[in-house]
Amino acid sequence: GNSVTQMEGPVTLSEEAFLTINCTYTATGYPSLFWYVQYPGEGLQLLLKATKADDKGSNKGFEATYRKETTSFHLEKGSVQVSDSAVYFCALSDVGGGATNKLIFGTGTLLAVQP
Amino acid sequence: EAGVAQSPRYKIIEKRQSVAFWCNPISGHATLYWYQQILGQGPKLLIQFQNNGVVDDSQLPKDRFSAERLKGVDSTLKIQPAKLEDSAVYLCASSWRGNANTGELFFGEGSRLTVL
């Protein structure tokens, strides 16, 4: 079945460092890909998405490109801030027979940014 | 705009007891989801409703878990009897509709269950 594999954390960086969180997927068909973020004490929220191959999603300085050839959707940011400390989840949409919007999540990667 | 509301935020029970969680989605959202997030794992879909009908409950342990959304608005998830392995955060989410690939689910803060 469809699945998502994320790099394990925690990832600890200094402020202004470059961030990469790896995500690869296994899927039949052409799913959409997402990154969700969970800040401390808050619910999951959508960070960015890409709906087809070679699309780049971007938001708040974060970017991820939908690479079909490598089945990857790595999250990057050029200069992280302390406020980016959170858990990041990679996810894909699993299109059911009724075209329902079911998301399959990776295990999450904890990012800790130190001042 | 009010977000997805869940209660209680925390619950501690002993095994074989029962528990219920409540969720009120964002107004106008037709689709409601319950996810289970075990520590160290990603959220796993338990059940999906479209209005008051069940769309997907393939991963719901039906011998102990039940959920309803009687009026197509708020929803209740029940566990009876609870097992130790049910300790997790139960996340409720909603979206405008269940169409494929729209992707934006709005999540509540979750209800953390500890089974002793």
Side-chain angles (χ1 to χ4, degrees):
Chain A
N2 294 354
S3 66
V4 174
T5 302
Q6 268 182 256
M7 69 184 285
E8 293 190 9
V11 174
T12 302
L13 296 173
S14 298
E15 208 165 20
E16 299 183 0
F18 184 85
L19 168 71
T20 300
I21 299 178
N22 291 338
C23 171
T24 57
Y25 68 91
T26 301
T28 55
Y30 302 96
S32 290
L33 301 174
F34 310 88
W35 278 99
Y36 276 76
V37 59
Q38 187 170 30
Y39 297 105
E42 299 184 16
L44 282 159
Q45 55 187 275
L46 180 66
L47 178 61
L48 54 82
K49 69 179 182 182
T51 58
K52 60 184 186 294
D54 300 324
D55 264 5
K56 177 186 285 188
S58 61
N59 187 23
K60 299 181 180 181
F62 291 88
E63 294 182 339
T65 301
Y66 189 164
R67 302 284 188 199
K68 193 171 187 301
E69 63 276 13
T70 54
T71 62
S72 65
F73 193 55
H74 305 322
L75 182 68
E76 297 182 336
K77 186 174 185 182
S79 176
V80 293
Q81 305 300 312
V82 172
S83 57
D84 294 326
S85 298
V87 181
Y88 292 82
F89 292 90
C90 186
L92 64 80
S93 62
D94 189 356
V95 182
T100 57
N101 193 21
K102 170 181 167 180
L103 290 184
I104 295 176
F105 287 88
T107 54
T109 301
L110 173 64
L111 171 64
V113 181
Q114 298 176 338
Chain B
E1 178 182 73
V4 176
Q6 289 189 247
S7 68
R9 290 292 309 280
Y10 305 93
K11 189 74 176 179
I12 301 174
I13 61 173
E14 296 191 349
K15 59 183 179 183
R16 292 188 289 274
Q17 288 187 323
S18 63
V19 63
F21 301 111
W22 174 83
C23 172
N24 191 29
I26 292 173
S27 178
H29 281 192
T31 309
L32 185 147
Y33 312 78
W34 283 102
Y35 279 83
Q36 180 193 56
Q37 186 177 11
I38 294 173
L39 186 65
Q41 300 180 19
K44 181 186 81 172
L45 180 69
L46 291 176
I47 189 167
Q48 177 182 350
F49 293 94
Q50 184 78 8
N51 297 307
N52 60 351
V54 175
V55 173
D56 185 345
D57 64 356
S58 57
Q59 296 193 84
L60 185 74
K62 298 180 185 65
D63 58 334
R64 298 182 300 104
F65 286 65
S66 64
E68 60 183 16
R69 193 185 184 198
L70 293 176
K71 298 181 180 178
V73 181
D74 57 349
S75 175
T76 302
L77 176 71
K78 297 180 181 178
I79 307 173
Q80 181 178 14
K83 292 186 174 181
L84 296 177
E85 58 260 36
D86 298 332
S87 294
V89 177
Y90 291 86
L91 300 169
C92 180
S94 68
S95 67
W96 286 107
R97 57 190 183 279
N99 288 356
N101 297 330
T102 56
E104 182 145 22
L105 274 59
F106 295 82
F107 284 84
E109 294 179 346
S111 295
R112 182 179 297 276
L113 173 65
T114 301
V115 182
L116 303 176

